[in-house]
Amino acid sequence: MKPKFTFTPTDRMVAAVEAFLAARLCEQEIEPIVTKYQQEILSRHRFKAVRLSERGEEVIILDPNQSYRISDEDSVVYFAECRKARDAAQLTIEGEEQDVCPHLKAKHALVLAENELIKSMSVLPQLESLGGKLYCLKLEDRKKLVELSLGLVVPFVSRGRAAALAQTTLAQYARFAPQPAMPQ
């Protein structure tokens, strides 16, 4: 009979998972707000995609993920409108550069938290080789590794600490400052 596998995470693993959960919660709170105003701006202005060749149909950019395809002149208008909408949505931080996109900032924080999570799990012999290969992993392999890590460590995590971390981050924005606590 094989002995049962017992897993006890390190403090670093627990902290990495809490930071990841907090970053994911922040990204989930910010993303719909930013996407909504970006889509509204694109829909209102109906910017055309810059063609790479003379052939092809005219494409109107309505998806914020495709906004890189609009012309430089239209980008100036788009970013100015996004700044106004971001200010109106109270997603600015005093002293922060005016062109910082809150959603991209939250996504960046999530990737950094994923990286730390993967590094923290690389102390396990089965995952040892992955800690130094963060940028070589395919996206689907990263996702599987993060989900596996969460499955192992989440039972040891304080969701209250993760929510408090998320609230601390979100409280930098006026929109979220008055909220007493984030949902867990």
Side-chain angles (χ1 to χ4, degrees):
M1 179 176 205
K2 288 185 177 182
K4 272 189 163 179
F5 173 75
T6 57
F7 174 74
T8 304
T10 65
D11 290 342
R12 181 180 177 196
M13 289 175 190
V14 171
V17 169
E18 288 173 351
F20 172 80
L21 293 173
R24 186 169 67 181
L25 184 57
C26 290
E27 194 271 339
Q28 289 171 343
E29 286 291 317
I30 291 171
E31 186 272 333
I33 300 163
V34 173
T35 299
K36 181 179 177 184
Y37 71 66
Q38 287 175 333
Q39 287 173 335
E40 190 278 327
I41 293 165
L42 291 171
S43 178
R44 187 168 15 102
H45 287 280
R46 303 191 55 80
F47 297 118
K48 296 176 186 166
V50 177
R51 291 190 200 120
L52 299 177
S53 68
E54 290 299 316
R55 289 186 269 165
E57 297 178 11
E58 188 174 87
V59 176
I60 304 295
I61 303 299
L62 299 173
D63 179 3
N65 292 323
Q66 297 291 312
S67 64
Y68 69 91
R69 297 181 64 198
I70 62 179
S71 70
D72 290 342
E73 297 82 24
D74 289 342
S75 290
V76 171
V77 173
Y78 177 65
F79 292 132
E81 292 279 330
C82 284
R83 275 192 297 278
K84 289 178 194 171
R86 185 193 66 217
D87 291 345
Q90 297 180 308
L91 288 177
T92 56
I93 297 175
E94 192 167 326
E96 187 172 64
E97 188 178 320
Q98 68 174 352
D99 287 327
V100 172
C101 174
H103 183 224
L104 291 179
K105 184 177 175 181
K107 283 173 73 170
H108 178 70
L110 184 59
V111 169
L112 293 178
E114 277 182 7
N115 288 347
E116 179 53 32
L117 176 58
I118 293 168
K119 286 179 191 175
S120 74
M121 296 302 288
S122 70
V123 299
L124 298 174
Q126 300 86 343
L127 303 176
E128 185 173 34
S129 65
L130 299 176
K133 298 181 181 177
L134 293 173
Y135 302 105
C136 298
L137 291 171
K138 294 182 206 171
L139 291 177
E140 56 268 11
D141 292 340
R142 266 182 82 92
K143 184 177 179 180
K144 287 178 188 175
L145 184 54
V146 167
E147 291 304 317
L148 170 71
S149 301
L150 291 175
L152 285 171
V153 182
V154 161
F156 301 91
V157 166
S158 164
R159 292 194 185 255
R161 272 198 308 263
L165 282 171
Q167 181 59 34
T168 300
T169 300
L170 288 172
Q172 297 174 67
Y173 300 103
R175 177 185 195 99
F176 299 106
Q179 293 183 354
M182 291 299 301
Q184 295 184 22

